[in-house]
Amino acid sequence: MSVSAAMAVAELSHSFTKTHLHSSQISFKSTRLVNHCHCAFRPFPQIRSTTISCSVATTEVKAPVIEQAEDPKNKSECFGVFCLTYDLKAEEETKTWKKLINVAVSGAAGMISNHLLFKLASGEVFGPDQPIALKLLGSERSFHALEGVAMELEDSLFPLLREVSIGINPYDVFQDVEWALLIGAKPRGPGMERADLLDINGQIFAEQGRALNAVASCNVKVIVVGNPCNTNALICLKNAPKIPAKNFHALTRLDENRAKCQLALKAGVFYDKVSNVTIWGNHSTTQVPDFLNARINGLPVIEVTKDRKWLEVEFTEKVQKRGGVLIKKWGRSSAASTAVSIADAIRSLVTPTPEGDWFSSGVYTNGNPYGIAEDIVFSMPCRSKGDGDYEFVNNVIFDDYLLERITKTEAELLAEKRCVAHLIGEGVAFCDIPEDTMLPGEM
Ligand code: LMR
């Protein structure tokens, strides 16, 4: 997310040193939220402020609230009105609501988050009976902006938004989270090689993977947005061995949405008539928007458009390079449409996929039925029962054109993987990234 990530980069926490606590300053977060899974769970000490009691349902044990440590910014703190105690069971309208979910967002003071957080809080993503706790990860540099975001969330009076906390330490912010939306990443700066970007962002995602592994819910679902998102997701999952690799996603839903729009435009139909669109591979300019399996009004796109040449050349390039064109117009990376696509990606996992359709997500390749190399994160067609999990789709077809393109994007991801070997426990990195490896936003 080149330009908007310039803001988001400010959200990254590079300081992962744990706060020094006196024993009298420690309360354990595990008393606030019950961890239902059976993975080895290491409760992480959390500190609270003196006068504030954070939101706790009456059915849960309330931890003693003790003196706060020296640097309040080093811990995640409930914010303003969200520090008030409430009891969902006490109100007629809220007692049928689901159990509160904890959602962490990194790069929380950036442009993408600024669109996304309000969607999450409104209930349009997780549903109208799903109360939510937002845990916002920022950085020292962006801390004031993070407070500004939290203030705007306060002023929006969202009924479902029950808790908001802000912090700069991922080990603190990711405590017990069931969803982690990893948006913050460093943009590629002038003169920076792609290998440098892979390394810098890779370090961040390795650290965030370790933090998730240590303190998140063991079935946490992770969506990596910060670029290069496929390889960042791979690094993250490799550093989080306690979390199923299947739970990690790289965001390619934006590319799918872009492809749907272009196909609708070509066919002269509204975009809700376009289905079965797969983005294969990397969120880069080698990505493959699959027109072979795509459908318009249930019919193959090739039959409807009768213009294979347009599909192979113009359509494909338009989708691959859409991010760059947008940057030229806006002067910064896509933010609103990225946020919409993150919301779509979550919704696709928490609601059953419509019969016969599928969605694209960058997922771990082990066990895939398409012959894609194992042990990378590759965008493929998925379906969900709405339980947060997904399965691969079986009834897709391939032709030589599609296979050739898929091989190219696969080679690119394998090269990116070699380039971050040092971050995934595979020895010494060797960077031979092909020249055409570019993010959609890079020109
Ligand atoms: C996008 O697809 O819009 C972004 O990933 C572009 C970018 O490079 O930031």
Side-chain angles (χ1 to χ4, degrees), residues 37 39 102-104 174 176-182 209 211-213 215-223 240 242-249 388:
C37 50
C39 62
N102 291 300
V103 181
F174 292 165
D176 295 332
V177 296
E178 286 130 319
W179 287 83
L181 312 175
L182 305 184
L212 286 168
N213 196 56
V215 300
S217 153
C218 60
N219 200 25
V220 60
K221 306 289 187 285
V222 183
I223 300 183
K242 283 198 302 210
I243 301 165
K246 215 188 161 193
N247 290 16
F248 290 79
H249 298 259

Side-chain angles (χ1 to χ4, degrees), residues 1-3 186-198 201 227-228 258 282-287 317 319-328 332-334 412 416 433-443:
M1 299 286 139
S2 325
V3 183
K186 194 171 171 57
R188 182 164 161 179
M192 198 193 277
E193 295 294 323
R194 194 171 165 85
D196 300 332
L197 185 68
L198 275 165
N201 281 336
N227 278 319
R258 288 167 172 169
N282 203 359
H283 175 66
S284 77
T285 52
T286 65
Q287 67 176 264
E317 280 183 13
V319 178
Q320 289 170 331
K321 296 183 179 162
R322 182 77 163 179
V325 174
L326 219 124
I327 288 173
K328 267 196 170 163
R332 57 158 176 78
S333 280
S334 56
E412 180 179 71
E416 286 189 19
I433 301 180
E435 243 175 47
D436 54 5
T437 294
M438 296 216 297
L439 299 173
E442 289 173 337
M443 306 303 279

Side-chain angles (χ1 to χ4, degrees), residues 1-32:
M1 299 286 139
S2 325
V3 183
S4 65
M7 179 71 179
V9 70
E11 327 316 321
L12 295 171
S13 170
H14 298 287
S15 134
F16 300 116
T17 46
K18 295 172 196 163
T19 319
H20 293 292
L21 301 171
H22 304 299
S23 56
S24 65
Q25 295 172 317
I26 299 174
S27 67
F28 284 93
K29 181 74 171 176
S30 52
T31 54
R32 186 169 169 205

Side-chain angles (χ1 to χ4, degrees), residues 355-371:
E355 193 57 40
D357 203 0
W358 60 68
F359 58 89
S360 305
S361 188
V363 291
Y364 193 53
T365 47
N366 282 19
N368 81 85
Y370 315 115

